[in-house]
Amino acid sequence: MSAQLLEGKPAAEKMRAEIYAEVAAFKDRHSFAPSLAVVLVGEDPASKVYVKRISKSFADAGMGCNEVVLPADTTPERLQAEIVALNGDPKVSGIIVQLPLPAPLTEKMVTDVLSPDKDVDGITPMNAGLLMQGLPCFVPNTPAGGLELLKRNGIEIKGKNAVVVGRSNIVGKPMAMLLLHEHATVTICHSRTRDLGAVCREADIVCAAIGKANMIKGDMLKPGAAVVDFGINPQEKGIVGDVEFSSAKEVAGWITPVPGGTGVMTNVMLLANTLAAAKRALEK
Ligand code: NDP
């Protein structure tokens, strides 16, 4: 058996077309473009590449993207003052801060001041709490994109057993909440889980957000399972996921390729959330 691919590109292209049309209509109606501010502290080359990619995708969508680059020795007070200024700027619809931050800066220093209304990657406790309660909120882009891939490929979630491996606030936990709201029976695994293979073999849907190359093998999957691999692990020969693709595709019914699966969707969800933030700001 060879699994069908849960490819990000076709789903992302379809979503992009929908978003571009909505942005054009928004601009006609309101005479300004939804805009994102990206705060980047320090000179991390990988972050710079990522920010350039975001910038381009916003330009392609006709949306604004303002890079706020701060020196690596930025103080907590300065970082928080920048975020507070962006919170109050009506031209800024959404804000993301590139993580991880150089010490002594912490993510909490950001979430303490970032306005939940502009928190388009859903990192604030307010948005996490709203997600948990099933209320309207900004959902972190990566799990939102993973769910979208499942839905757009017609994979049934209701009543299914779903296993999420990983419990970070940005991927694992929100993915588990999203699946729960779609009426899956959800199990969350982590580094202390006993016999991960046995748990995963019970799952109709497996979502891997571990950060360890090729950890989930084909013999840890139930035949026909849908596998969503969030892993991005740079190796000598390129990027690989948290799931061993070669063995998993022989057992799974559906599987995301890496690259070309969930990563592509993350970027589109950021466009969608920024547009949504711009719309909500006008409703207030
Ligand atoms: P974290 O390091 O924050 O979390 C990893 C999780 O995996 C933890 O909960 C950890 O458990 C768990 N874990 C580690 N080892 C094991 C193990 N042996 N068995 C079971 N669970 C284990 O990572 P992130 O959630 O931020 O990212 C996960 C992956 O997703 C990474 O590869 C990252 O690059 C990628 N990513 C992809 C994105 C995309 O767009 N596709 C965006 C963001 C991230 P514990 O809590 O016990 O330590």
Side-chain angles (χ1 to χ4, degrees):
M1 181 175 168
S2 198
Q4 295 191 61
L5 289 180
L6 282 171
E7 283 191 274
K9 218 169 161 201
E13 263 167 24
K14 206 151 175 274
M15 275 195 79
R16 263 196 211 108
E18 292 160 12
I19 292 167
Y20 289 9
E22 279 190 54
V23 169
F26 182 97
K27 282 165 53 175
D28 278 350
R29 221 172 302 133
H30 305 293
S31 307
F32 75 97
S35 182
L36 177 75
V38 184
V39 181
L40 178 62
V41 186
E43 294 287 319
D44 179 46
S47 289
K48 279 180 141 180
V49 171
Y50 180 64
V51 172
K52 285 276 160 285
R53 205 175 305 146
I54 292 176
S55 246
K56 181 176 179 324
S57 70
F58 273 71
D60 290 347
M63 295 163 82
C65 183
N66 164 27
E67 289 173 39
V68 181
V69 183
L70 302 173
D73 61 357
T74 297
T75 61
E77 294 73 22
R78 165 93 195 275
L79 175 66
Q80 290 190 320
E82 291 285 346
I83 296 169
V84 169
L86 293 168
N87 284 344
D89 183 345
K91 291 191 295 298
V92 173
S93 320
I95 304 167
I96 58 167
V97 179
Q98 191 56 37
L99 300 171
L101 291 159
L105 303 177
T106 62
E107 184 176 338
K108 186 168 184 302
M109 289 169 188
V110 174
T111 56
D112 279 348
V113 293
L114 176 59
S115 163
D117 294 334
K118 296 194 177 185
D119 169 25
V120 286
D121 201 12
I123 64 168
T124 57
M126 175 62 88
N127 278 312
L130 291 168
L131 174 61
M132 186 151 194
Q133 295 195 348
L135 295 169
C137 64
F138 290 115
V139 177
N141 302 140
T142 297
L147 182 73
E148 199 67 32
L149 268 184
L150 290 170
K151 284 183 157 181
R152 286 185 180 242
N153 284 281
I155 292 165
E156 188 157 6
I157 303 173
K158 186 166 60 175
K160 301 290 182 184
N161 285 342
V163 166
V164 180
V165 190
R167 56 175 164 180
S168 71
N169 289 332
I170 196 74
V171 194
K173 275 189 231 165
M175 189 67 206
M177 279 303 134
L178 291 171
L179 291 164
L180 185 63
H181 296 323
E182 295 292 328
H183 311 293
T185 302
V186 183
T187 305
I188 306 176
C189 298
H190 45 77
S191 63
R192 322 293 156 82
T193 297
R194 289 191 205 150
D195 201 347
L196 184 63
V199 182
C200 289
R201 274 190 294 275
E202 295 296 314
D204 305 299
I205 298 168
V206 174
C207 300
I210 312 165
K212 295 209 165 131
N214 299 321
M215 227 197 93
I216 310 272
K217 319 275 186 207
D219 64 4
M220 298 164 76
L221 298 171
K222 177 174 170 176
V227 179
V228 178
D229 188 352
F230 291 114
I232 298 178
N233 305 293
Q235 308 276 285
E236 259 177 38
K237 286 185 184 164
I239 287 172
V240 302
D242 292 341
V243 179
E244 187 182 69
F245 188 81
S246 56
S247 61
K249 79 173 190 329
E250 298 305 322
V251 184
W254 292 89
I255 186 167
T256 51
V258 177
T262 57
V264 190
M265 293 300 287
T266 295
N267 181 278
V268 184
M269 299 315 296
L270 182 60
L271 293 175
N273 272 355
T274 305
L275 173 60
K279 286 183 180 168
R280 272 193 223 173
L282 292 172
E283 283 161 15
K284 288 215 157 190

